[in-house]
């Protein structure tokens, strides 16, 4: 491309090559995804010693594994001998040791080399015990691993802010989700939807807090669900709450989305306020509230259930809907190919009906089978194709530019449909890319 990155991002617009240039994508892998905190999984995914999950961090295949002392380690999925991946499965239990299937080198579950077959062959070499390269017998570890309320993150860079510092006020994504559990924590449902999006990773993230698109993109889907609800009413029935997850896209006009608000934090994190109204007076909700009251007391329960959050985006790789225990992890695969992993969680100590409610949203709105997701994926592909064309050089983020309130590094949008989240994400992008 040849464009200076400092010229590619302006206060209210971004050059299209930022999305489509393979060279810029490679720089993003190095300067962003290999240097920021990346979500690798939840502690409940690896309950027992030897339990592991494989995950991609930037370009690196990694392993999240529980050691026998209960600690969780994140290791490069590579044997230090001849480079073979140590795990080809998504998950499993390694047992007391990790054994390479190529030459049977064995490692402890913290990555330390435990046994080298025919070790005499290394006598007198740099790889012998005490040799200059003996430390290279061990599996390479992620430079840093930290957990917040059970959510495990890894960082391939040895320096930089701690996880808590990097999360900042956006850690409410996990506080809100866990506080809604009577037991104060969640556990993962050990399967996920994995979706390949034929578009640049930034397009997905921009869409998450775009409050202008739902009433447009999802109108036809919402109208179909609304018609079903109305037909049920005519027959004297009552549609389940889960039906409203889809019909709300039709019954919530653009003007209503403008009443919401976004909070835009350092590092590109953003919050869309607007609680989803999940407190009907049905028996399931009342039973849940009673469990919460027993756990926290009525005052604290009201504080927790009154948190006004619809969506939290942790830039550049995580999208969290805490009121419904949903999480989407973003794994860029190429300049025009992105993997999203869609997970959901159980509120420990909550009635089973509350899990079924979250499962309904998971299947009806976030799954790859639903029309809501299909609406978005179709738009993402069309956006990427349009940006790859010569139809224009710039992507517009002018909506309400200069009208939002900034105080202490936090930008509060003047209205819900302001493009402040997109501008905030690119402000962080410029910093990460060293382009300021």
């Amino acid at each position: 491309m040849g464009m200076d990155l400092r010229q590619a991002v302006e206060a209210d617009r971004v050059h299209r090559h930022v999305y489509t240039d393979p060279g810029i994508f490679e720089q993003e892998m190095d300067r962003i995804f290999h240097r920021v905190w990346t979500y690798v999984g939840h502690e409940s995914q690896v309950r027992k010693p030897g339990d592991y999950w494989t995950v991609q961090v930037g370009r690196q295949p990694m392993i999240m594994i529980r050691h026998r002392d209960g600690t969780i380690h994140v290791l490069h999925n590579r044997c230090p001998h001849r480079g073979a991946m140590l795990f080809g499965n998504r998950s499993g239990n390694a047992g007391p040791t990790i054994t390479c299937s190529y030459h049977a080198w064995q490692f402890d579950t913290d990555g330390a080399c435990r046994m080298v077959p025919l070790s005499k062959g290394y006598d007198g070499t740099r790889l012998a015990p005490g040799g200059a390269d003996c430390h290279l017998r061990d599996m390479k570890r992620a430079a840093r691993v930290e957990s917040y309320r059970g959510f495990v993150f890894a960082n391939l860079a040895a320096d930089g802010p701690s996880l808590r510092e990097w999360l900042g006020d956006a850690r409410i994504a996990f506080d809100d989700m866990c506080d809604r559990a009577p037991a104060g924590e969640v556990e993962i449902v050990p399967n996920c939807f994995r979706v390949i999006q034929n578009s640049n990773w930034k397009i997905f993230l921009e869409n998450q807090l775009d409050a202008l698109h739902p009433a447009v993109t999802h109108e036809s889907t919402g109208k179909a669900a609304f018609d079903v609800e109305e037909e049920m009413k005519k027959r004297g029935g009552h549609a389940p709450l889960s039906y409203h997850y889809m019909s709300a896209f039709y019954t919530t006009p653009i003007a209503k989305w403008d009443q919401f608000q976004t909070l835009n934090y350092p590092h590109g994190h953003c919050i869309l306020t607007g609680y989803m109204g999940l407190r009907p007076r049905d028996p399931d909700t009342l039973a849940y509230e009673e469990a919460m009251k027993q756990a926290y007391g009525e005052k604290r329960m009201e504080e927790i259930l009154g948190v006004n959050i619809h969506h939290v985006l942790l830039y550049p790789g995580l999208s969290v809907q805490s009121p419904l225990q949903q999480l989407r992890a973003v794994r860029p695969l190429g300049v025009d190919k992105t993997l999203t992993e869609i997970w959901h969680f159980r509120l420990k100590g909550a009635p089973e009906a509350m899990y079924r409610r979250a499962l309904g949203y998971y299947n009806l709105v976030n799954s790859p089978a639903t029309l809501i997701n299909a609406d978005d994926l179709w738009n993402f592909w069309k956006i990427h194709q349009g940006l790859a064309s010569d139809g224009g050089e710039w992507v517009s983020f002018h909506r309400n530019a200069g009208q939002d309130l900034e105080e202490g590094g936090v930008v509060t949008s003047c209205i819900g449909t302001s493009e402040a989240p997109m501008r905030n994400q690119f402000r962080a992008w410029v910093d990460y890319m060293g382009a300021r």
Side-chain angles (χ1 to χ4, degrees):
M1 163 187 148
M3 172 179 276
D4 189 326
L5 290 181
R6 288 172 294 186
Q7 299 174 346
V9 178
E10 299 182 2
D12 52 10
R13 65 179 189 172
V14 175
H15 198 275
R16 67 184 179 91
H17 283 314
V18 166
Y19 299 85
T20 61
D21 186 86
I24 291 179
F25 176 79
E26 293 303 325
Q27 291 181 59
E28 290 173 335
M29 290 296 99
D30 177 55
R31 300 180 186 181
I32 301 180
F33 289 93
H34 288 173
R35 300 186 187 184
V36 302
W37 289 100
T38 296
Y39 174 72
V40 293
H42 193 265
E43 292 177 0
S44 60
Q45 285 176 257
V46 287
R47 297 179 183 277
K48 305 187 299 295
D51 282 355
Y52 70 86
W53 279 81
T54 58
V55 65
Q56 194 86 359
V57 177
R59 291 288 198 196
Q60 305 304 310
M62 308 292 287
I63 307 159
M64 178 179 67
I65 189 166
R66 189 176 289 274
H67 192 40
R68 60 177 173 273
D69 64 359
T71 58
I72 293 175
H73 295 265
V74 179
L75 312 169
H76 284 259
N77 190 3
R78 178 192 186 277
C79 180
H81 175 219
R82 296 276 287 278
M85 289 180 64
L86 291 162
F87 293 112
N89 296 331
R90 281 282 290 160
S91 63
N93 186 281
T97 58
I98 301 169
T99 302
C100 180
S101 61
Y102 194 23
H103 291 98
W105 280 42
Q106 291 186 1
F107 308 90
D108 214 334
T109 46
D110 64 355
C113 183
R114 190 163 177 176
M115 191 274 289
V116 175
L118 304 173
S119 59
K120 286 186 177 182
Y122 297 96
D123 290 349
T125 73
R126 290 184 297 178
L127 209 59
D133 290 344
C134 66
H135 62 287
L136 297 179
R137 290 171 171 244
D138 297 337
M139 296 172 63
K140 186 177 179 180
R141 299 172 173 86
R144 291 182 288 163
V145 178
E146 294 185 29
S147 178
Y148 184 77
R149 299 204 70 166
F151 296 84
V152 182
F153 288 76
N155 197 316
L156 302 182
D159 56 1
S162 68
L163 175 62
R164 192 179 183 93
E165 291 169 338
W166 179 77
L167 289 173
D169 290 338
R171 64 182 180 274
I172 195 172
F174 308 116
D175 289 336
D176 184 44
M177 190 187 298
C178 293
D179 288 348
R180 289 174 182 274
E185 59 183 3
V186 298
E187 57 184 359
I188 202 164
V189 178
N191 53 56
C192 73
F193 294 125
R194 306 181 84 225
V195 182
I196 299 292
Q197 303 176 3
N198 294 313
S199 52
N200 187 263
W201 62 275
K202 295 183 288 296
I203 296 171
F204 170 82
L205 291 178
E206 290 164 13
N207 184 75
Q208 296 311 289
L209 270 72
D210 184 321
L212 186 57
H213 89 279
V216 180
T217 298
H218 307 304
E219 180 184 23
S220 59
T221 300
K223 176 64 163 56
F226 175 79
D227 289 345
V228 171
E229 286 185 306
E230 290 300 298
E231 183 63 30
M232 293 180 72
K233 290 179 184 177
K234 290 178 183 177
R235 297 178 181 180
H238 181 72
L241 176 63
S242 58
Y243 283 42
H244 183 64
Y245 297 152
M246 299 181 74
S247 65
F249 290 102
Y250 175 71
T251 59
T252 307
I254 291 177
K256 179 67 177 294
W257 287 98
D258 260 344
Q259 296 173 20
F260 292 2
Q261 193 175 56
T262 61
L263 303 173
N264 303 278
Y265 295 101
H267 305 301
H269 310 325
C270 316
I271 294 175
L272 174 64
T273 66
Y275 184 56
M276 301 183 67
L278 297 176
R279 294 184 70 179
R281 298 292 84 194
D282 64 303
D284 293 337
T285 303
L286 295 177
Y288 167 60
E289 291 183 1
E290 182 59 32
M292 290 288 286
K293 193 183 304 181
Q294 292 295 321
Y296 294 104
E298 186 165 4
K299 180 181 178 182
R300 178 59 182 145
M301 176 197 75
E302 290 296 337
E303 291 174 351
I304 292 170
L305 299 186
V307 171
N308 186 34
I309 284 179
H310 177 77
H311 213 126
V312 181
L313 185 143
L314 297 167
Y315 189 83
L318 203 58
S319 170
V320 183
Q321 289 179 286
S322 52
L324 284 159
Q325 303 101 251
Q326 317 277 310
L327 176 154
R328 282 177 280 190
V330 181
R331 319 286 187 196
L333 303 178
V335 69
D336 60 352
K337 196 174 294 294
T338 305
L339 167 68
T340 55
E341 297 176 340
I342 311 167
W343 298 91
H344 69 303
F345 299 81
R346 288 179 179 269
L347 301 174
K348 292 187 72 172
E352 177 68 12
M354 300 309 294
Y355 165 67
R356 307 303 299 184
R357 181 176 294 179
L359 181 63
Y361 193 89
Y362 183 69
N363 286 324
L364 288 172
V365 177
N366 282 341
S367 87
T370 177
L371 290 176
I372 298 295
N373 208 330
D375 290 339
D376 285 329
L377 291 173
W378 179 234
N379 268 344
F380 298 165
W381 178 79
K382 290 196 295 180
I383 291 169
H384 193 97
Q385 295 302 305
L387 294 179
S389 75
D390 293 329
E393 294 303 302
W394 294 94
V395 176
S396 166
F397 294 130
H398 293 82
R399 185 171 174 78
N400 300 108
Q403 301 173 27
D404 301 309
L405 173 66
E406 181 169 358
E407 185 175 352
V410 178
V411 175
T412 303
S413 68
C414 58
I415 57 175
T417 59
S418 168
E419 289 172 334
M422 300 78 183
R423 294 190 289 268
N424 188 57
Q425 289 172 43
F426 269 103
R427 184 161 61 173
W429 185 90
V430 167
D431 287 339
Y432 284 132
M433 296 290 281
R436 193 171 297 282

